[in-house]
Amino acid sequence: MLTTLAIANYRSLRELIVPLGPLNVITGPNGSGKSNLYRALRLLALTARGGVIPSLAREGGLQSTLWAGPERFSRAALEGAVPVQGTVRKEVVSLRLGFAGDAFGYAIDLGLPTASTSQFALDPVIKRECIWNGPLLRPSALLVDRRGPAIRIRDEAGDWTTLAQPVASFDSMMSEFADPRSAPEMIAVREQIRSWRFYDHFRTDELAPARQVQIGTHSPVLADDGANLAAALQTIREIGDGEALDTAVADAFPGARVEIVNHEGRFELALRQHGLLRPLRAAELSDGTLRYLLLAAALLSPRPPALLVLDEPETSLHPDLLASLARLIARASRQSQVFVVSHAARLVAALEREEGSRSIVLERKLGATALADAEALDLPPWKWPSR
Ligand SMILES: Nc1ncnc2c1ncn2[C@@H]1O[C@H](COP(=O)(O)OP(=O)(O)O)[C@@H](O)[C@H]1O
Ligand SMILES: [Mg+2]
């Protein structure tokens, strides 16, 4: 389980250290930085899949994703006496992401390349990456250490070996690495991050993938776009907790039951409902009903991830469905660590009543995202690796 999430210089997250529990509910007013926190977490996940640089590029490049405020605020600006003023940048450009968990911690530091004639001169470069033992980075806890192109690994006897093969500036050391014998920790961290699952705004328009008839194959994991919804629900029926699925559906739509119609290997989702003479096909379901079924398929996955992240799952759900959704989320949090961004008061209130839940309320102070009532929270210690 992750115990700490740390972000510096990513959009409105100038420096944010967040303590995490089994079920984390992120709330706060519009513009407080909830989606930025979600995106930062997804960016962290992409490092282990080799996608951090392309993803930053899609977001407009490092320059536009970096915190746009000053490195420091003057005392007068903090007190609101004068407007915030830019200062000459003294520190190097550095976008940093990291986490710590029960077993390991990881941090990555991205910066700008040194001037070159390369056509990729705007690609950010990975300056430093570290994996350490336990919750806090200390020199004695360091296990794998990358500086620029060089990776050092510490063996059980405590001796360092530098890998002969340098790593490219645009590759995470984790995406490069294959040999589990020389760095079991790196493989462990990578496999953990690769299992993280993110779901945001499922499409439910007429052409949405979830409304189409699909070739059915075993699907223990719902696809990002929900395209394999019918197969995922059937997989839950056959190898997962089919009873929980039926309960979740009946809970939300009294008397209703999901049916998977098999047209010679092509699966179609249908919902048999009280009072109707024939089941409704996926193409005919309301947006809210379809989205609820997508969320149920994601949350009842027979192959639960280490971390499940949902961004505003309440979108287009009728408020009456939120209590059922909260029950599904709470159930999932017993198998996966869960991170939910929400501003539906009813969902938040229902989740807060669940055991192990913790609410993380964000607010903006001088443009930067901060934890509301940070004083009251038990903030975990955190240390960034230096360059
Ligand atoms: N590079 C940046 N530097 C500073 N603030 C930024 C940057 N990019 C976006 N923001 C700010 O982050 C704010 C919050 O974004 P967002 O996470 O979408 O809020 P929420 O999801 O809580 O409504 C926006 O108001 C935007 O002005
Ligand atoms: Mg948002």
Side-chain angles (χ1 to χ4, degrees):
M1 188 181 90
L2 305 187
T3 49
T4 313
L5 177 63
I7 299 124
N9 285 323
Y10 178 73
R11 297 186 180 274
S12 62
L13 313 175
R14 187 167 80 104
E15 168 101 59
L16 194 70
I17 313 291
V18 189
L20 298 179
L23 173 52
N24 306 281
V25 188
I26 293 79
T27 59
N30 282 332
S32 56
K34 302 181 297 296
S35 298
N36 290 342
L37 187 57
Y38 172 86
R39 285 147 111 181
L41 194 51
R42 201 174 49 187
L43 207 51
L44 196 48
L46 283 169
T47 60
R49 297 176 189 164
V52 66
I53 307 285
S55 174
L56 277 172
R58 274 196 301 278
E59 293 188 25
L62 188 61
Q63 290 293 12
S64 89
T65 44
L66 278 178
W67 157 245
E71 284 172 349
R72 310 203 149 65
F73 292 109
S74 67
R75 177 183 293 252
L78 282 174
E79 287 165 357
V82 299
V84 173
Q85 286 182 337
T87 48
V88 177
R89 200 176 265 287
K90 292 200 195 80
E91 291 163 17
V92 290
V93 165
S94 166
L95 167 64
R96 288 176 287 191
L97 304 164
F99 65 84
D102 302 327
F104 302 117
Y106 168 78
I108 183 169
D109 176 357
L110 295 132
L112 293 174
T114 43
S116 81
T117 54
S118 162
Q119 295 278 16
F120 303 108
L122 289 178
D123 263 18
V125 297
I126 300 172
K127 300 279 187 181
R128 188 113 199 253
E129 267 182 295
C130 296
I131 291 174
W132 61 89
N133 220 332
L136 188 63
L137 171 61
R138 287 171 290 113
S140 60
L142 206 51
L143 296 168
V144 188
D145 183 16
R146 171 215 188 138
R147 263 180 204 278
I151 303 177
R152 298 191 299 157
I153 297 176
R154 198 205 300 256
D155 64 21
E156 274 166 30
D159 298 323
W160 288 100
T161 314
T162 301
L163 298 189
Q165 193 70 30
V167 53
S169 66
F170 48 86
D171 276 328
S172 161
M173 61 182 188
M174 292 190 283
S175 61
E176 279 277 283
F177 216 73
D179 184 358
R181 278 160 311 173
S182 51
E185 302 81 14
M186 187 139 70
I187 305 293
V189 171
R190 180 178 72 191
E191 293 317 303
Q192 187 198 349
I193 302 180
R194 284 189 177 172
S195 86
W196 296 359
R197 228 170 273 163
F198 295 78
Y199 293 105
D200 47 53
H201 310 234
F202 288 115
R203 272 179 59 190
T204 52
D205 56 283
E206 260 172 65
L207 298 175
R211 291 196 188 274
Q212 316 305 317
V213 178
Q214 298 283 338
I215 292 175
T217 54
H218 276 108
S219 303
V221 178
L222 180 70
D224 290 350
D225 62 358
N228 59 355
L229 175 61
L233 292 171
Q234 186 60 26
T235 307
I236 293 168
R237 277 255 160 83
E238 293 191 16
I239 65 167
D241 194 344
E243 214 169 294
L245 171 63
D246 290 338
T247 309
V249 172
D251 202 16
F253 315 108
R257 186 181 148 82
V258 162
E259 281 179 10
I260 306 302
V261 187
N262 187 338
H263 309 279
E264 292 171 3
R266 298 172 72 82
F267 285 11
E268 184 174 28
L269 166 68
L271 191 67
R272 188 169 285 283
Q273 274 165 302
H274 211 55
L276 294 187
L277 296 176
R278 63 167 181 88
L280 293 184
R281 292 173 297 118
E284 300 169 312
L285 296 176
S286 76
D287 290 358
T289 305
L290 186 63
R291 208 165 257 140
Y292 181 82
L293 295 177
L294 282 158
L295 288 163
L299 289 160
L300 292 168
S301 166
R303 193 172 293 162
L307 177 70
L308 180 64
V309 189
L310 303 174
D311 190 21
E312 297 185 357
E314 67 267 16
T315 310
S316 89
L317 289 194
H318 189 275
D320 287 351
L321 298 181
L322 297 180
S324 310
L325 177 61
R327 281 191 283 278
L328 275 170
I329 293 174
R331 182 190 182 282
S333 75
R334 294 194 274 279
Q335 269 132 32
S336 302
Q337 188 170 18
V338 176
F339 189 101
V340 192
V341 175
S342 173
H343 52 206
R346 266 170 86 168
L347 179 63
V348 172
L351 288 173
E352 280 170 351
R353 284 193 293 273
E354 294 295 333
E355 202 185 308
S357 94
R358 123 181 359 219
S359 59
I360 297 165
V361 185
L362 301 182
E363 61 181 17
R364 271 179 103 193
K365 281 188 187 150
L366 291 178
T369 298
L371 296 178
D373 51 56
E375 305 77 33
L377 288 171
D378 201 5
L379 285 187
W382 181 263
K383 225 175 123 42
W384 290 110
S386 60
R387 282 233 176 126

